[in-house]
Amino acid sequence: MHSRLVRLIGCATVWAFCACGEQPTEVELQLYPCDLTSGLPTSVDLTIQSSGADGKIGEPLVKTFPISEPEKVFEDGFATVGFTPPAGTLTADITVLWTAGSEVVQARYNLGVPALGEAMPLGKEECESGPSTTTTPTTTDEPTTVGTDTTGSGSETETGTTTTTDPTETTSTSSTSSTSTGDSETTTESTTTTTDTTTSTTDTTMGTSGGPMEGGTCMSPGLTACDAGPGALGQLLVCQDTTWVLLPDFCQPSACENLGFTNPQAVGCFGDEQGWSCACAETPQGQCEPGQVSQCGEAIGMDGDVKVELCVDDVYYAAQCAGCIIKNGKPLCITD
């Protein structure tokens, strides 16, 4: 039996199935929304890792449910999702991500899974603060400061400016100002070096240019994406309102169980907006073999996924992707 998630509605349905004499096939997840200042949630993301007597069962189950009419869905105070756990499931680690406008709030649960046909309440007592919405004003303010300090390079810097790049540029400019008390020619050379270093840092952080980036514009609230690209590690982003912001701590070690690591850790994501997966490494991180390069690897798991191997700065990473292609000579996760 494979795990699955079906429907998002505003009332209990499992009981109706039982009343009609049919055998239940689902556990009823009762989702009580976290409190959001923007109002009722307009989207919910579920991640469920089932576990049995011998440990985790299969890969985490991930699904997003848009909520077009939240007043109707939460009329009874909660929404219902039908969950069919895989055979042998005893407990489940569940992450619920609620989105409303520019807000994202997360709740995590570790609960025993009841018998089919029974309800499994997921209350708001486990809600915690999600990614801060202060990212957008921070990104807006800092490019203005950089433009004021360095008029000559302002237009060149603006095309790739991110929240990560701006603080680096400001710190370097302050260092250059202290050097200017010595020789004016030395000050000019330092300024040129600062611009080059900032550009290099941006390329490394973002993985590839032209894809989703922190502070960039997005059109689908609640959508997740990876800012990595071919052969690079990245950070997971979520679309809040119309802005990409970081989604920290989303990837968990449970995503690493089929990759051959003895003591794995989740280190980020791999892919882009078309398809991504959590990237993993050994603890402590291990080195690549001599001559080893990033590549699409062999098939793993029960669903035809593939193992992707990455060598980034001579450190070995791996990810399990639904598919893999070679783009610009480097591997990239794709969806089937």
Side-chain angles (χ1 to χ4, degrees):
M1 178 186 296
H2 297 288
S3 59
R4 65 190 182 106
L5 293 170
V6 295
R7 296 183 305 280
L8 177 72
I9 57 176
C11 62
T13 59
V14 174
W15 311 121
F17 295 155
C18 296
C20 294
E22 298 180 12
Q23 291 296 319
T25 59
E26 304 164 359
V27 171
E28 180 184 284
L29 301 182
Q30 296 179 343
L31 309 180
Y32 290 83
C34 295
D35 293 327
L36 299 165
T37 59
S38 301
L40 290 173
T42 55
S43 176
V44 60
D45 296 79
L46 287 177
T47 302
I48 303 178
Q49 175 63 69
S50 299
S51 297
D54 297 326
K56 293 180 176 60
I57 302 176
E59 289 299 301
L61 183 63
V62 181
K63 190 161 185 177
T64 298
F65 294 96
I67 305 174
S68 58
E69 296 181 300
E71 291 80 8
K72 292 183 178 180
V73 170
F74 298 107
E75 185 176 5
D76 295 335
F78 63 91
T80 293
V81 171
F83 168 50
T84 301
T89 296
L90 298 177
T91 63
D93 291 314
I94 303 176
T95 299
V96 184
L97 201 67
W98 297 100
T99 301
S102 61
E103 288 185 271
V104 177
V105 177
Q106 181 175 260
R108 294 185 178 182
Y109 310 85
N110 179 266
L111 300 171
V113 177
L116 299 178
E118 296 185 9
M120 187 174 177
L122 302 180
K124 62 174 62 181
E125 66 275 1
E126 300 300 330
C127 295
E128 59 188 41
S129 297
S132 174
T133 57
T134 59
T135 302
T136 301
T138 301
T139 305
T140 303
D141 292 342
E142 292 187 358
T144 303
T145 303
V146 174
T148 302
D149 293 341
T150 311
T151 304
S153 61
S155 60
E156 182 178 348
T157 304
E158 287 174 358
T159 57
T161 299
T162 65
T163 304
T164 302
T165 304
D166 292 339
T168 304
E169 200 167 300
T170 303
T171 302
S172 299
T173 303
S174 299
S175 176
T176 302
S177 298
S178 64
T179 307
S180 65
T181 57
D183 187 358
S184 60
E185 292 182 359
T186 303
T187 301
T188 302
E189 293 175 358
S190 297
T191 301
T192 302
T193 303
T194 300
T195 302
D196 292 342
T197 302
T198 302
T199 302
S200 177
T201 301
T202 302
D203 291 343
T204 301
T205 302
M206 300 312 300
T208 59
S209 60
M213 63 179 64
E214 183 185 5
T217 301
C218 56
M219 301 304 294
S220 302
L223 180 69
T224 55
C226 184
D227 67 3
L233 287 173
Q235 302 176 103
L236 192 60
L237 307 173
V238 62
C239 183
Q240 287 189 5
D241 197 4
T242 58
T243 303
W244 289 115
V245 299
L246 291 180
L247 183 58
D249 303 325
F250 184 86
C251 287
Q252 300 294 315
S254 59
C256 310
E257 61 182 8
N258 292 328
L259 299 174
F261 295 115
T262 303
N263 188 21
Q265 59 172 313
V267 294
C269 62
F270 171 60
D272 59 15
E273 69 268 35
Q274 270 73 48
W276 59 269
S277 181
C278 294
C280 306
E282 191 64 87
T283 304
Q285 293 183 358
Q287 299 295 306
C288 294
E289 298 293 334
Q292 189 174 17
V293 297
S294 299
Q295 61 181 344
C296 298
E298 74 276 8
I300 57 174
M302 301 295 293
D303 299 321
D305 292 351
V306 295
K307 178 179 180 180
V308 181
E309 298 180 295
L310 303 173
C311 283
V312 181
D313 296 331
D314 294 327
V315 178
Y316 178 78
Y317 306 94
Q320 181 172 341
C321 298
C324 180
I325 61 172
I326 298 298
K327 186 174 182 180
N328 298 329
K330 296 181 179 180
L332 179 67
C333 266
I334 60 171
T335 56
D336 287 343

